[in-house]
């Protein structure tokens, strides 16, 4: 699993998606998933762009609907974040219960749950920064519903490792699995993992009937829990020469090489220490984002808080894209690309989807 950072390779990946195969196989370990999320999450491409690419294929709606629906899931979580703001870091709809601790199972950090498919996927996450959607659900279910850890710490841990780390898609999915943003908790047993991850394992702590999964004691393997910490080291500030003129502000969530493409403007990639302290990411994830900035001609990296940038550039010269993490920026805010005109908080995805589907 390889995630190139040159824009040509990224666009080629987008042009080669197969919505039809996707629909039949996305839940399987070797399914025809797109591997586009690291580029969507880092703002290199948008869900709207992927949607336009799908439309160009001229396939009947029914054969592309599944992939389009997943792209709409992403927009949905973004809208929830826009509306709810920092409330997404708390149990949003229901209190997660029971909760035994605010830590993460040590076995997860050490890829040592004893479940082969899960441990292999954890190793792969550490080496590539990617994990399959279905496996993310299994891992979240193990942490929240089997080990009974509150979802927030394990969510922060996964977010830090993912190249596609996105606080809405990640934290809200964890809440969904833990029953904090859904009416029931998600669980899966060993048989389900064997089917979708093509293993043939038995006698693990998940090798039990479904009705026992939510009521069983925390298995020995998951009893030891630990806090999660990571210290992110931002790059050393290189020399920069900033002028007080029109400045496009990029950040961890907006590395769009197409933004004002070809125009003579100043471009700054802002790395705010306070943001990365609050939401730390792995070195791998940060390096990936830095490599993506190489697609943007003339971009300068500024390691510091937004207010420090104002010493060089007046806010009236600053342009940035709307995002919940940007609320303290000053200047001209531009909207992001969305797939549809639906905005606001919809309590359930399917209400959002119904409206989106009509429009699409
Ligand atoms: C516990 C958990 C944590 C997650 N954390 C993140 C995260 O931090 N960042 C992130 O981008 N996604 C996250 N997801 C959603 C999903 O797992 C990934 O978007 C998907 O696996 C990325 O791989 P892909 O690009 O091959 O997806 P594909 O299956 O090819 O889907 C195409 C695109 O649709 C969107 N999409 C697909 N599935 C989902 C979904 N369930 N929710 C929202 N959007 C979706 C993504 O933008 C993805 O790139 C999480 C899911 C779970 C269950």
């Amino acid at each position: 699993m390889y995630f190139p950072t040159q824009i040509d390779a990224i666009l080629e990946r987008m042009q080669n998606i197969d919505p039809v195969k996707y629909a039949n196989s996305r839940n399987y370990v070797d399914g025809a998933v797109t591997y586009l999320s690291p580029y969507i999450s880092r703002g290199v491409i948008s869900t709207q762009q992927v949607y336009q690419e799908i439309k160009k294929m001229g396939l009947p709606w029914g054969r592309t609907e599944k992939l389009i629906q997943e792209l709409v899931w992403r927009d949905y979580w973004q809208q929830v974040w826009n509306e709810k703001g920092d409330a997404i870091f708390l149990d949003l709809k229901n209190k997660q219960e029971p909760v035994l601790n605010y830590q993460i199972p040590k076995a997860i950090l050490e890829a040592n749950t004893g479940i082969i498919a899960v441990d292999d996927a954890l190793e792969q996450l550490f080496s590539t920064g990617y994990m399959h959607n279905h496996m993310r659900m299994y891992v979240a279910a193990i942490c929240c519903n089997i080990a009974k850890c509150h979802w927030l710490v394990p969510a922060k841990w996964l977010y830090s490792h993912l190249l596609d780390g996105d606080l809405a898609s990640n934290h809200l999915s964890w809440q969904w699995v833990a029953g904090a943003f859904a009416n029931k908790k998600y669980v899966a047993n060993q048989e389900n993992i064997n089917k979708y991850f093509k293993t043939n394992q038995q006698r693990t702590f998940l090798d039990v009937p479904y009705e026992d999964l939510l009521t069983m004691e925390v298995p020995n393997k998951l009893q030891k829990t630990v806090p999660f910490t990571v210290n992110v080291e931002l790059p050393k500030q290189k020399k920069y020469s900033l002028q007080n003129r029109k400045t496009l502000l990029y950040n961890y969530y907006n590395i769009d090489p197409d933004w004002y493409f070809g125009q003579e403007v100043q471009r700054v990639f802002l790395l705010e220490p306070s943001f990365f302290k609050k939401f730390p990411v792995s070195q791998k994830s940060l390096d990936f984002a830095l490599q993506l900035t190489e697609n943007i001609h003339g971009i300068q990296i500024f390691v510091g808080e937004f207010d420090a940038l104002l010493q060089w550039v007046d806010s009236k010269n600053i342009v940035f894209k709307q995002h919940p993490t940007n609320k303290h920026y000053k200047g001209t805010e531009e909207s992001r690309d969305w797939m549809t005109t639906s905005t606001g908080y919809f309590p359930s995805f399917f209400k959002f989807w119904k409206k989106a589907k009509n429009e699409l």
Side-chain angles (χ1 to χ4, degrees):
M1 198 174 307
Y2 169 60
F3 291 96
T5 54
Q6 306 81 358
I7 191 63
D8 290 353
I10 296 168
L11 295 179
E12 194 185 326
R13 179 168 292 196
M14 181 167 71
Q15 283 145 11
N16 285 331
I17 57 179
D18 186 337
V20 179
K21 266 199 196 152
Y22 178 85
N24 303 325
S25 64
R26 71 178 287 267
N27 282 328
Y28 289 88
V29 60
D30 51 359
V33 296
T34 65
Y35 298 110
L36 287 175
S37 55
Y39 311 113
I40 297 173
S41 291
R42 296 288 66 83
V44 179
I45 54 172
S46 66
T47 48
Q48 171 65 244
Q49 265 174 283
V50 184
Y51 173 58
Q52 291 304 331
E53 210 53 57
I54 297 171
K55 270 201 357 188
K56 269 194 233 157
M57 294 173 187
L59 293 160
W61 168 263
R63 306 192 76 192
T64 56
E65 180 170 354
K66 190 68 210 158
L67 179 53
I68 294 170
Q69 188 181 60
E70 293 308 321
L71 291 163
V72 171
W73 260 108
R74 180 178 158 92
D75 276 15
Y76 172 67
W77 290 137
Q78 296 299 309
Q79 288 291 344
V80 174
W81 193 10
N82 266 349
E83 289 299 312
K84 295 286 175 185
D86 285 356
I88 69 162
F89 304 123
L90 306 168
D91 292 12
L92 209 49
K93 276 189 187 170
N94 310 310
K95 198 167 160 23
Q96 181 189 339
E97 275 177 333
V99 168
L100 299 182
N101 60 72
Y102 290 79
Q103 299 196 329
I104 180 165
K106 193 160 179 269
I108 293 284
L109 297 188
E110 294 176 350
N112 182 26
T113 63
I115 297 173
I116 293 167
V118 172
D119 293 343
D120 285 353
L122 288 165
E123 294 288 4
Q124 197 178 56
L125 169 72
F126 303 145
S127 63
T128 64
Y130 182 84
M131 183 180 270
H132 187 283
N133 176 66
H134 213 165
M135 182 53 71
R136 296 182 199 202
M137 291 167 69
Y138 295 146
V139 169
I142 290 172
C143 291
C144 303
N145 302 333
I146 307 294
K148 300 183 174 51
C149 301
H150 186 262
W151 62 267
L152 184 58
V153 168
K156 280 184 170 170
W157 157 81
L158 183 60
Y159 170 82
S160 75
H161 282 289
L162 290 168
L163 300 186
D164 67 26
D166 174 275
L167 289 164
S169 289
N170 187 66
H171 285 41
L172 291 166
S173 296
W174 277 84
Q175 294 216 35
W176 184 86
V177 170
F181 196 81
N183 295 329
K184 59 181 181 56
K185 296 169 185 287
Y186 170 82
V187 277
N189 68 5
Q190 184 64 51
E191 194 186 340
N192 185 290
I193 296 177
N194 284 343
K195 173 175 171 195
Y196 289 101
F197 277 70
K198 308 201 168 170
T199 49
N200 189 16
Q201 208 183 355
Q202 289 172 332
R203 290 184 289 278
T204 67
F205 61 77
L206 288 183
D207 196 10
V208 295
Y210 265 90
E211 51 275 24
D212 294 348
L213 282 170
L214 287 173
T215 51
M216 69 190 193
E217 291 291 307
V218 176
N220 285 342
K221 267 279 184 194
L222 302 178
Q223 294 233 343
K224 177 107 186 98
T225 60
V226 289
F228 163 67
T229 50
V230 59
N231 281 326
V232 54
E233 233 180 86
L234 297 179
K236 293 244 165 356
Q237 179 68 63
K238 288 204 188 118
K239 266 211 172 120
Y240 53 82
S241 78
L242 293 175
Q243 293 160 0
N244 191 13
R245 62 183 176 108
K246 182 167 178 176
T247 300
L248 302 188
L249 203 52
Y250 299 79
N251 60 26
Y252 196 60
Y253 281 83
N254 169 22
I255 314 179
D256 176 3
D258 228 16
W259 198 29
Y260 289 86
F261 182 78
Q263 295 195 28
E264 251 317 300
V265 286
Q266 181 164 259
R267 298 170 195 267
V268 171
F269 182 59
L270 180 68
L271 290 171
E272 290 188 289
S274 59
F275 176 75
F276 288 96
K277 188 161 187 243
K278 201 165 165 198
F279 305 111
V281 299
S282 68
Q283 196 60 49
K284 181 180 271 304
S285 303
L286 184 63
D287 289 347
F288 177 72
L290 284 164
Q291 281 158 21
L292 289 171
T293 67
E294 289 170 15
N295 293 309
I296 301 168
H297 182 66
I299 197 166
Q300 302 190 57
I301 294 169
F302 187 89
V303 184
E305 300 300 322
F306 176 83
D307 282 349
L309 188 66
L310 294 179
Q311 293 169 7
W312 303 93
V313 189
D314 288 346
S315 60
K316 67 174 182 0
N317 282 328
I318 293 177
V319 184
F320 58 91
K321 286 200 198 187
Q322 182 278 332
H323 198 268
T325 57
N326 287 351
K327 291 212 166 109
H328 58 300
Y329 288 9
K330 297 177 196 89
T332 306
E333 181 182 89
E334 295 192 348
S335 76
R336 280 189 274 166
D337 242 5
W338 299 94
M339 286 175 77
T340 67
T341 54
S342 293
T343 52
Y345 177 67
F346 287 70
S348 92
F349 170 73
F350 285 96
K351 288 207 174 92
F352 186 77
W353 169 240
K354 212 169 146 197
K355 198 153 176 268
K357 191 172 162 178
N358 274 338
E359 197 177 326
L360 294 168

